[in-house]
Amino acid sequence: SGMLRWSMPILLAGLGGLFSERVGVVNIGLEGMMILGTWCGAMGAIELGPWGGLVAGMIGGALGALLHAVSTVQFGVDHIISGVAINILAPGLTRFLSDQVFNGWEGGSITQSPRAVGLPKIDVPLLAGRGGSTSLLGEIDDEDWFFVSDVAGFLEGAMQGLSLFTIIAFLLVPLSGFVLWRTRLGLRIRICGERPEAGESLGVNIYLHKYIGVITSGAFAGLAGGFIAMELAGIYREGQTLGRGFIGLAALIFGNWRPGGVMLGSLLFGYPFVLALRDSEGLGTRALLLVIGIALVAVLVYSVVNQNRTDAIIAGVLAVAMLVWWSQSSTAPNWLPNTMPYATVLLVLVFMSQRLRMPAADGQIYRKGG
């Protein structure tokens, strides 16, 4: 349950990066757009209720993306420089807005807002009820059947206290895939990131579709920020994004620029954070060492089967190191879960770089007729 909640901002940020990079614009400003989304989402939830907060968060992120689109698409500013500028601008802007708006409200200050109510939460009927309600998965979990009960307990946790916000975020994954790969708009978006000159020769308005992709990217990032303020914290606080915009980009790379891969990456990256927060004794965090070691052994076997000697040696050395570390320690350091997302991306790049394929024109400056 915690994994689902904590991975949603990463998922939404990753989907935002997907739309931006599919039109050929690198968007490292996702973090700043998410910050704008946290402030606007909290403001909207306070004034208009949770659904208003959802829409306001999207608008806040989209405005930040519009600035990114104007600078990169219209004026040809380097994508990285523009993204860094947005990441610097957003915290200062939200600090100013908080001083002007929240500072005089009860419970508000220059660094935080009053309480912001999130969307309702539900239990899936029959499968995961609570408080005396029927729970088929809970009954299976109580039977202590080998593996089956463990799977039932996992599914029960995923279906209890499920926020409507989380359901919306998951539905955006197949919707994004459908739009990008099954519609005319998606085809035009993808040609902007692959061969914009070819699209231009066929009459596609490349500038327009780049604007659509980047602004959609910001709307997703703003939605992620609204989720943090409304669902995870119930309040806007300065600095509460904690770098999730960058982790969303890591999930995008891990997922090979595909919606399903972004979802798997976000779930993988979200779980260690929850484990670190709720594992006071460090035993679950220590178990991560074993999981990493087993995964590296699998990579070792795969590399040997495919006769890739270099990858096999690297995977073997890392696997032995992790398994020895796990066997010789009673707990694991607190920094391990926080570094896992970035370490995972590095391992993916090392062992699967030949299978990763970013859009061909990603990050390139496009000029009509150029």
Side-chain angles (χ1 to χ4, degrees), residues 253-257 261 264 268 295-296 298-300 302-303 306 308 310-312 314-315 343-358:
I253 297 172
F254 177 90
N256 200 15
W257 289 268
L264 292 177
L268 174 65
L296 288 169
V299 173
L300 169 62
Y302 178 82
S303 301
N306 288 274
N308 193 327
T310 302
D311 285 359
I314 296 174
T344 302
V345 173
L346 290 176
L347 291 175
V348 169
L349 292 175
V350 169
F351 296 115
M352 300 183 65
S353 59
Q354 295 179 350
R355 296 178 178 271
L356 296 176
R357 184 188 177 279
M358 65 188 297

Side-chain angles (χ1 to χ4, degrees), residues 98 101-115 235-236:
S98 296
V101 179
F102 295 147
N103 202 18
W105 293 6
E106 182 179 357
S109 70
I110 193 173
T111 59
Q112 70 175 42
S113 71
R115 300 295 298 178
I235 191 175
Y236 162 78

Side-chain angles (χ1 to χ4, degrees), residues 28-40 60-61 63-65 67 82-98 110 221-222 236-241 246:
I28 66 168
L30 288 170
E31 179 75 9
M33 298 169 196
M34 191 183 294
I35 291 173
L36 295 174
T38 58
W39 194 93
C40 293
L63 290 175
L67 176 61
S82 176
V84 171
I86 291 173
N87 289 336
I88 295 173
L89 173 65
L93 179 59
T94 52
R95 167 68 75 96
F96 171 77
L97 292 174
S98 296
I110 193 173
Y236 162 78
R237 285 195 183 93
E238 192 174 77
Q240 66 187 151
T241 55
F246 299 108

Side-chain angles (χ1 to χ4, degrees), residues 18-366:
L18 173 67
F19 274 88
S20 182
E21 301 209 4
R22 280 295 173 182
V23 296
V25 178
V26 176
N27 189 0
I28 66 168
L30 288 170
E31 179 75 9
M33 298 169 196
M34 191 183 294
I35 291 173
L36 295 174
T38 58
W39 194 93
C40 293
M43 182 67 180
I46 294 169
E47 293 291 334
L48 303 172
W51 292 104
L54 185 149
V55 175
M58 294 180 66
I59 293 174
L63 290 175
L66 178 61
L67 176 61
H68 187 51
V70 169
S71 61
T72 57
V73 178
Q74 203 69 39
F75 294 105
V77 175
D78 183 90
H79 299 182
I80 305 300
I81 294 175
S82 176
V84 171
I86 291 173
N87 289 336
I88 295 173
L89 173 65
L93 179 59
T94 52
R95 167 68 75 96
F96 171 77
L97 292 174
S98 296
D99 183 40
Q100 297 297 310
V101 179
F102 295 147
N103 202 18
W105 293 6
E106 182 179 357
S109 70
I110 193 173
T111 59
Q112 70 175 42
S113 71
R115 300 295 298 178
V117 179
L119 294 180
K121 295 178 174 58
I122 61 172
D123 296 331
V124 177
L126 299 179
L127 293 178
R130 288 185 293 183
S133 301
T134 302
S135 176
L136 178 61
L137 292 173
E139 294 175 0
I140 296 175
D141 186 19
D142 293 338
E143 293 294 333
D144 287 334
W145 293 330
F146 175 72
F147 187 71
V148 175
S149 293
D150 293 326
V151 173
F154 178 86
L155 294 175
E156 182 186 20
M159 296 181 183
Q160 284 184 347
L162 194 60
S163 171
L164 292 179
F165 212 141
T166 301
I167 297 174
I168 292 172
F170 270 119
L171 291 177
L172 288 174
V173 175
L175 179 61
S176 299
F178 177 80
V179 169
L180 287 173
W181 276 272
R182 291 293 185 269
T183 66
R184 182 178 298 179
L185 173 64
L187 177 62
R188 292 177 175 180
I189 285 175
R190 286 185 290 119
I191 202 171
C192 291
E194 297 289 348
R195 293 290 299 276
E197 297 82 5
E200 179 188 336
S201 68
L202 296 174
V204 177
N205 189 332
I206 301 298
Y207 284 138
L208 173 63
H209 289 85
K210 280 181 176 287
Y211 267 95
I212 292 174
V214 176
I215 292 174
T216 302
S217 171
F220 274 109
L223 192 60
F227 186 94
I228 294 173
M230 296 164 56
E231 300 291 332
L232 293 185
I235 191 175
Y236 162 78
R237 285 195 183 93
E238 192 174 77
Q240 66 187 151
T241 55
L242 299 175
R244 291 187 183 91
F246 299 108
I247 300 175
L249 285 176
L252 176 64
I253 297 172
F254 177 90
N256 200 15
W257 289 268
R258 297 275 180 168
V262 173
M263 182 184 71
L264 292 177
S266 64
L267 292 173
L268 174 65
F269 297 161
Y271 184 74
F273 290 124
V274 183
L275 193 63
L277 288 173
R278 301 190 178 187
D279 184 24
S280 58
E281 297 180 0
L283 300 178
T285 305
R286 173 178 177 263
L288 283 175
L289 298 172
L290 178 60
V291 173
I292 297 170
I294 294 173
L296 288 169
V297 170
V299 173
L300 169 62
V301 174
Y302 178 82
S303 301
V304 171
V305 170
N306 288 274
Q307 299 181 350
N308 193 327
R309 181 178 300 177
T310 302
D311 285 359
I313 293 174
I314 296 174
V317 172
L318 293 175
V320 171
M322 285 294 172
L323 294 175
V324 169
W325 187 4
W326 171 77
S327 64
Q328 298 298 316
S329 62
S330 58
T331 59
N334 294 329
W335 51 260
L336 178 65
N338 295 328
T339 58
M340 266 198 66
Y342 307 101
T344 302
V345 173
L346 290 176
L347 291 175
V348 169
L349 292 175
V350 169
F351 296 115
M352 300 183 65
S353 59
Q354 295 179 350
R355 296 178 178 271
L356 296 176
R357 184 188 177 279
M358 65 188 297
D362 193 17
Q364 298 179 11
I365 304 298
Y366 167 77

